[in-house]
Amino acid sequence: MDGFYGRILKVDLSEEKYSIEPVSDEILKKYLGGKGLASYLLVELNPPGVDPLDPANSLIFATGPVTGSAIWGSCRYGVFTKSPQTGLYSESYAGGKVPEAIDSCGFDAIVIQGQSAIPTVLGVNPEGVDFHAAGDIWGMDTFKAEDAVLERFGRSGESVRRRGAVVIGPAGENLVRFAVIENDYWRSAGRTGVGAVMGSKHLKAVVFQGNRKRSLYDANAVSAFSKKVSLEGKDNPGAKAYKSMGTTMMVKIVNDAGAFPTRYWSEGKCEHWEKINAEALHERCQVTPRACLKCFLACGRMTTVQKGRHAGLKLEGPEYETIYAFGGLCLIDSIEEIVYLNDICDRLGMDTITAGNLCGFTIEAARRGKIDYKIDYGDADAIAELLKKIANPPNPPLPKGGEGGIFPFTKGGQGRFSPLAKGGRGDFEDIGDVLARGIKFAAREWDLEDIAVHVKGLEPPGYDPRVLKGMGLGYATSDRGACHLRATFYKAELSGMIDADVIEGKAKLFLDFEDRLTLFDALILCRFYRDIYPWEQLKEIIHSVTGLDGDQKALQKKARAISDIVRRFNLREGMKPEDERLPKSLHRKLEKTGDIITEQELDHMLKDYYSLHGWDEQGQLSS
Ligand code: SF4
């Protein structure tokens, strides 16, 4: 079938074996690629109830039918697994250049199972895989690891069209529940702990190299479509804003709306917003736009700190979400310090959204006398120190099957009891040990479940649902926990497409966004092209790439098939109706403004949403 390779690669790290298997057209027509195919494989291949850190948990890399084509926004890959952060469905996406290297290996999906006996780098090519001992790079930060593996394999262009690597940092090796997989130095598959799953398999890096390309149903149509989009896109005000300011433009927009999570979710407006917004970044640092392959939006910021103690520090970022997490939740009032904390997370391989949330939560725990630890709002050095402790906990969790191996997983034994927590369980004396296990664990440990902000174990990004109520529906129902990307409904609410306060009828528009973006993830397309590819354009892309026809209704049916299979996975893995609720503290009024989302308002939207999906009132599938 055009647009697909029609084959998947299955790798067993335990046995150092692999197989190449066909995928039927029937499956591809039903689920497309990317999220659709990977979710189908996850349901089929994962043993029900498997521990996320068990060798049997599949780690699936997928590209989509548009990857490698001229379609703008097409250079992305997805990682799919069972999350060690939520115990449920995990998906995470990243851009850069590496997605085309993954795709050039000629597989619709690459499924990695098992656990290597020693630290390993996996080489993937169109004919199969090779296994390389990687003891010498185990322990390296993500940047050094990426350099080291590409040095070993050679860089793109030397003998193959595309070559690139994905890596984990120390956090992934130590099974920190929110460890990321990184590529192109600064691009991260950042949410739900995919890096910890890779670490549990003792897999430090995967290098992809190949020369394959997908066959397109109508290559001329793809090329004409892309030309048209770029010509029209040049004058698109949204495109111009992304290029000139990147996602940092959201600081002002969200703060003006009163939805900028501040002081660990207690306020919605940040007093020092002008010190951490787009202007602050662009005036105080040297910044140039940077793009993934096949992108004219160029939302990335290549930033170099100009002055102060971090002068010379260079990275791609910070993104809006990192600014909100450290600048809002932790009250860091300097853009340079946020760049610094961003850099630490990148090197250690940790998700900045969860990291900032956990630091804010720790500050509250210290202020409330729940822990004896010196940290406070605005203290960048204490936060930096905490991040390092989290990534290198003395008693990291053990991967299943890792006991007794050659790895120094335990430095002092498991389960030491201590008086660090007052009133909680007090299992661990080291704060890194507690936080490395994620917010749910820390909240129980410190007896602070009442204020912990997460859904299904995943902390929300930077849009307060007490103001943007549709985001509340998004956080409650997203497959992977509190996620802004499933429907990106902040866009609809902040742009005035629908009143942020309205409840009646909101689920209908929400689902329209969700369906379209589910197809984005099946193709796999960048979210920021959502205004450029409404339904008509999406239809054109799918037809020209795969030959599949269908009006909006037919496409929505495909999206729903994907949503259903993911829900089936989550229900099978133990998701309960009460998991699809907001945390208690988000039903309390925001300080200063008094904004609130009530449980009744959320219930109303949930009921509508489930009904539109064809699920029962508890969100269960009918069969
Ligand atoms: S808009 Fe940003 S994330 Fe999306 S493809 Fe372009 S540079 Fe990459």
Side-chain angles (χ1 to χ4, degrees), residues 18 110 158 177 179 186 267 299 304 362 372 419 421 460 465 469 515 518 524 537 597 604 612:
Y18 67 90
I110 297 162
E158 288 171 11
R177 304 275 162 156
W186 299 287
E267 298 168 21
C299 79
T304 308
T362 303
D372 183 13
K469 295 188 178 180
D515 284 341
T518 296
I524 299 176
Q537 277 67 20
I597 178 169
H604 188 124
L612 287 164

Short mmCIF file of all heavy atoms in Angstrom, two decimals, residues 18 110 158 177 179 186 267 299 304 362 372 419 421 460 465 469 515 518 524 537 597 604 612:
data_model
loop_
_atom_site.label_atom_id
_atom_site.label_comp_id
_atom_site.label_asym_id
_atom_site.label_seq_id
_atom_site.Cartn_x
_atom_site.Cartn_y
_atom_site.Cartn_z
N TYR A 18 16.34 -10.76 15.96
CA TYR A 18 15.33 -9.86 15.40
C TYR A 18 14.56 -10.58 14.30
O TYR A 18 15.00 -11.61 13.78
CB TYR A 18 15.99 -8.59 14.85
CG TYR A 18 16.86 -8.81 13.64
CD1 TYR A 18 16.34 -8.75 12.35
CD2 TYR A 18 18.22 -9.10 13.80
CE1 TYR A 18 17.14 -8.97 11.25
CE2 TYR A 18 19.02 -9.32 12.70
CZ TYR A 18 18.48 -9.26 11.43
OH TYR A 18 19.27 -9.49 10.35
N ILE A 110 9.22 -0.04 14.75
CA ILE A 110 10.33 -0.86 15.26
C ILE A 110 9.99 -1.19 16.71
O ILE A 110 9.87 -0.29 17.54
CB ILE A 110 11.67 -0.09 15.15
CG1 ILE A 110 11.98 0.18 13.67
CG2 ILE A 110 12.80 -0.86 15.83
CD1 ILE A 110 12.99 1.28 13.44
N GLU A 158 28.06 10.23 5.09
CA GLU A 158 29.36 9.59 4.84
C GLU A 158 29.20 8.34 3.97
O GLU A 158 30.03 8.07 3.13
CB GLU A 158 30.05 9.26 6.16
CG GLU A 158 30.54 10.55 6.85
CD GLU A 158 31.03 10.32 8.27
OE1 GLU A 158 31.19 9.15 8.66
OE2 GLU A 158 31.23 11.30 8.99
N ARG A 177 11.32 8.04 36.60
CA ARG A 177 10.02 7.79 35.95
C ARG A 177 9.65 8.79 34.87
O ARG A 177 8.67 8.58 34.15
CB ARG A 177 8.90 7.77 36.99
CG ARG A 177 9.10 6.79 38.10
CD ARG A 177 8.62 5.41 37.70
NE ARG A 177 9.21 4.42 38.59
CZ ARG A 177 8.70 3.23 38.85
NH1 ARG A 177 7.56 2.89 38.30
NH2 ARG A 177 9.31 2.39 39.64
N ALA A 179 12.07 10.11 32.68
CA ALA A 179 13.24 10.25 31.81
C ALA A 179 12.80 10.32 30.35
O ALA A 179 11.82 9.69 29.95
CB ALA A 179 14.18 9.06 32.02
N TRP A 186 18.76 18.41 21.40
CA TRP A 186 17.76 19.12 22.19
C TRP A 186 16.32 18.72 21.90
O TRP A 186 15.40 19.35 22.40
CB TRP A 186 17.91 20.64 21.98
CG TRP A 186 19.24 21.15 22.41
CD1 TRP A 186 19.68 21.30 23.69
CD2 TRP A 186 20.31 21.58 21.57
NE1 TRP A 186 20.96 21.79 23.70
CE2 TRP A 186 21.37 21.98 22.41
CE3 TRP A 186 20.48 21.68 20.18
CZ2 TRP A 186 22.58 22.47 21.90
CZ3 TRP A 186 21.67 22.17 19.69
CH2 TRP A 186 22.71 22.56 20.55
N GLU A 267 -1.72 30.32 41.75
CA GLU A 267 -2.12 31.56 41.10
C GLU A 267 -2.06 31.39 39.58
O GLU A 267 -1.39 30.49 39.09
CB GLU A 267 -1.16 32.70 41.51
CG GLU A 267 -1.20 33.00 43.00
CD GLU A 267 -0.05 33.91 43.45
OE1 GLU A 267 0.53 34.61 42.60
OE2 GLU A 267 0.27 33.88 44.65
N CYS A 299 9.89 26.94 14.81
CA CYS A 299 9.54 27.39 16.17
C CYS A 299 10.72 27.28 17.13
O CYS A 299 10.70 27.88 18.20
CB CYS A 299 8.35 26.60 16.71
SG CYS A 299 8.79 24.95 17.32
N THR A 304 21.80 31.52 22.94
CA THR A 304 23.07 31.60 23.67
C THR A 304 22.95 32.69 24.72
O THR A 304 22.58 33.83 24.41
CB THR A 304 24.24 31.94 22.72
OG1 THR A 304 24.21 31.04 21.62
CG2 THR A 304 25.58 31.83 23.43
N THR A 362 8.05 20.09 45.72
CA THR A 362 9.02 19.94 46.82
C THR A 362 9.11 21.23 47.64
O THR A 362 9.21 21.19 48.87
CB THR A 362 10.41 19.57 46.24
OG1 THR A 362 10.27 18.39 45.46
CG2 THR A 362 11.43 19.33 47.35
N ASP A 372 12.35 17.93 55.62
CA ASP A 372 13.42 18.77 56.13
C ASP A 372 14.45 18.94 55.02
O ASP A 372 15.41 18.18 54.92
CB ASP A 372 14.02 18.06 57.35
CG ASP A 372 15.10 18.92 58.00
OD1 ASP A 372 15.18 20.11 57.66
OD2 ASP A 372 15.85 18.37 58.82
N PRO A 419 13.51 9.40 58.73
CA PRO A 419 12.54 10.40 59.16
C PRO A 419 12.45 11.60 58.22
O PRO A 419 12.02 12.66 58.63
CB PRO A 419 13.09 10.82 60.53
CG PRO A 419 14.57 10.66 60.38
CD PRO A 419 14.81 9.60 59.37
N ALA A 421 10.46 12.28 55.75
CA ALA A 421 9.07 12.71 55.64
C ALA A 421 8.40 12.69 57.00
O ALA A 421 8.61 11.76 57.78
CB ALA A 421 8.32 11.79 54.69
N PRO A 460 0.33 18.34 34.59
CA PRO A 460 -0.14 19.11 33.43
C PRO A 460 0.90 20.11 32.94
O PRO A 460 1.75 20.55 33.70
CB PRO A 460 -1.36 19.88 33.95
CG PRO A 460 -1.60 19.41 35.34
CD PRO A 460 -0.36 18.74 35.82
N PRO A 465 -6.63 24.93 34.06
CA PRO A 465 -7.99 24.56 33.63
C PRO A 465 -9.09 25.30 34.39
O PRO A 465 -10.25 25.17 34.04
CB PRO A 465 -8.05 23.06 33.90
CG PRO A 465 -7.11 22.83 35.02
CD PRO A 465 -5.99 23.84 34.82
N LYS A 469 -11.33 26.02 30.59
CA LYS A 469 -12.02 24.84 31.11
C LYS A 469 -11.97 23.63 30.17
O LYS A 469 -11.99 22.48 30.61
CB LYS A 469 -13.46 25.20 31.48
CG LYS A 469 -13.45 26.21 32.63
CD LYS A 469 -14.79 26.50 33.22
CE LYS A 469 -14.60 27.47 34.38
NZ LYS A 469 -15.83 27.84 35.04
N ASP A 515 -10.00 14.59 17.22
CA ASP A 515 -10.01 13.66 16.08
C ASP A 515 -8.96 14.05 15.05
O ASP A 515 -8.21 13.21 14.54
CB ASP A 515 -11.39 13.66 15.40
CG ASP A 515 -12.43 12.88 16.19
OD1 ASP A 515 -12.05 12.07 17.04
OD2 ASP A 515 -13.63 13.11 15.95
N THR A 518 -5.55 13.36 16.33
CA THR A 518 -5.27 11.91 16.38
C THR A 518 -4.74 11.48 15.01
O THR A 518 -3.79 10.69 14.91
CB THR A 518 -6.55 11.13 16.75
OG1 THR A 518 -6.93 11.51 18.08
CG2 THR A 518 -6.32 9.62 16.72
N ILE A 524 2.82 10.91 10.97
CA ILE A 524 2.91 11.74 12.14
C ILE A 524 3.26 13.18 11.73
O ILE A 524 4.32 13.41 11.13
CB ILE A 524 4.02 11.20 13.06
CG1 ILE A 524 3.70 9.76 13.49
CG2 ILE A 524 4.24 12.08 14.23
CD1 ILE A 524 4.83 9.11 14.34
N GLN A 537 -7.40 20.02 4.01
CA GLN A 537 -5.99 19.82 3.69
C GLN A 537 -5.51 18.44 4.18
O GLN A 537 -4.72 17.78 3.51
CB GLN A 537 -5.13 20.92 4.32
CG GLN A 537 -5.05 22.21 3.51
CD GLN A 537 -6.38 22.93 3.45
OE1 GLN A 537 -7.27 22.70 4.27
NE2 GLN A 537 -6.54 23.79 2.46
N ILE A 597 -12.89 25.72 38.29
CA ILE A 597 -13.67 24.75 37.51
C ILE A 597 -14.27 23.80 38.54
O ILE A 597 -13.54 23.22 39.37
CB ILE A 597 -12.82 24.02 36.44
CG1 ILE A 597 -13.68 23.00 35.69
CG2 ILE A 597 -11.58 23.35 37.03
CD1 ILE A 597 -13.00 22.41 34.45
N HIS A 604 -20.03 17.40 33.55
CA HIS A 604 -20.88 17.72 32.41
C HIS A 604 -20.11 17.53 31.09
O HIS A 604 -20.60 16.87 30.16
CB HIS A 604 -21.35 19.19 32.55
CG HIS A 604 -22.39 19.58 31.55
ND1 HIS A 604 -23.61 20.08 31.88
CD2 HIS A 604 -22.38 19.53 30.19
CE1 HIS A 604 -24.32 20.32 30.79
NE2 HIS A 604 -23.58 19.99 29.76
N LEU A 612 -20.35 11.44 22.93
CA LEU A 612 -19.96 11.70 21.53
C LEU A 612 -19.03 10.61 21.00
O LEU A 612 -19.03 10.29 19.82
CB LEU A 612 -19.28 13.07 21.43
CG LEU A 612 -20.20 14.28 21.57
CD1 LEU A 612 -19.41 15.55 21.86
CD2 LEU A 612 -21.04 14.47 20.30
#
